[in-house]
Amino acid sequence: ETFQRAGVLYPVASFVNHDCLPNVARFDFFDEDATPTPENLRVQLRAMTDLSAGTEIRMNYMSMFAPFHHRLQRLQAEYGFWCQCERCTVESQRSVDDDPSSQADETDPESEEELAVMLFVAKYGCPKEDCGGTMAPVVRGTDSTCKRKKGKASDKESVIMECNRCQGVVEGLDRVYNLEGL
């Protein structure tokens, strides 16, 4: 179980912008050992998918499962900006978000863009109830290569995804490939 016991400023990671549909997940290692060492004071940004050269690295500053109004308010209060990412733009158009107390069915997408957002969250959100973490491929070795193979359906079982909050592991991508077929 992880808990926050300290804050650390990472000079390079501090330049990574926010996006509610991130392309990297941040992994901190504070809780690996009770005694601070260089190893457990490091941060790792893991690409969630293949990134082309020149792609801006973007991480989510909070849980991907946070509701739209909560994300907007927290980002404004803690980071001083109103998020205008693709996800917030799509979700701002939902009538249910006009009234935060509305109990309308939020699982029924109203557009292709909204369906894409829902699939992204289902694909990369931790499946553990109440975790709120982001899943990213496990990095193998010091050369930062992950165990994900490109393009072959037969390789989907070789993917190992880890949650950046609870460190839960999901092996294989059957869950993800099944979502893409929706």
Side-chain angles (χ1 to χ4, degrees), residues 70-86:
H70 175 79
R71 291 194 321 267
L72 286 183
Q73 291 168 356
R74 184 169 168 205
L75 289 169
Q76 176 60 38
E78 293 182 25
Y79 298 97
F81 70 92
W82 292 103
C83 188
Q84 297 176 355
C85 72
E86 177 185 351

Side-chain angles (χ1 to χ4, degrees), residues 20-106:
C20 294
L21 298 175
N23 57 17
V24 299
R26 186 188 82 212
F27 287 78
D28 295 305
F29 301 94
F30 297 132
D31 298 318
E32 287 184 347
D33 191 355
T35 306
T37 66
E39 226 10 64
N40 68 1
L41 293 177
R42 65 189 166 95
V43 66
Q44 185 179 78
L45 300 176
R46 292 188 198 166
M48 295 160 58
T49 62
D50 291 334
L51 300 175
S52 302
T55 300
E56 179 184 2
I57 295 173
R58 300 175 324 270
M59 68 180 166
N60 197 333
Y61 293 175
M62 65 188 70
S63 169
M64 283 199 304
F65 295 103
F68 172 66
H69 283 286
H70 175 79
R71 291 194 321 267
L72 286 183
Q73 291 168 356
R74 184 169 168 205
L75 289 169
Q76 176 60 38
E78 293 182 25
Y79 298 97
F81 70 92
W82 292 103
C83 188
Q84 297 176 355
C85 72
E86 177 185 351
R87 179 178 180 186
C88 286
T89 301
V90 167
E91 291 180 2
S92 70
Q93 297 169 5
R94 257 188 102 63
S95 58
V96 68
D97 287 325
D98 292 337
D99 177 8
S101 64
S102 171
Q103 296 299 313
D105 184 6
E106 295 184 27

Side-chain angles (χ1 to χ4, degrees), residues 1-2 27-29 131 161-169:
E1 181 176 328
T2 62
F27 287 78
D28 295 305
F29 301 94
C131 172
M161 302 285 276
E162 180 181 19
C163 176
N164 68 341
R165 287 198 180 177
C166 71
Q167 284 75 49
V169 174

Side-chain angles (χ1 to χ4, degrees), residues 98-161:
D98 292 337
D99 177 8
S101 64
S102 171
Q103 296 299 313
D105 184 6
E106 295 184 27
T107 61
D108 186 22
E110 295 178 357
S111 67
E112 285 186 32
E113 292 83 8
E114 193 169 354
L115 177 61
V117 167
M118 291 172 71
L119 287 174
F120 182 92
V121 173
K123 183 176 183 177
Y124 293 108
C126 181
K128 183 178 178 184
E129 192 172 331
D130 298 325
C131 172
T134 303
M135 304 297 288
V138 172
V139 175
R140 298 287 186 200
T142 57
D143 62 350
S144 296
T145 57
C146 66
K147 195 172 172 167
R148 183 164 48 87
K149 308 254 191 285
K150 283 188 170 183
K152 298 178 187 172
S154 62
D155 291 332
K156 64 185 175 184
E157 286 76 29
S158 67
V159 177
I160 299 174
M161 302 285 276

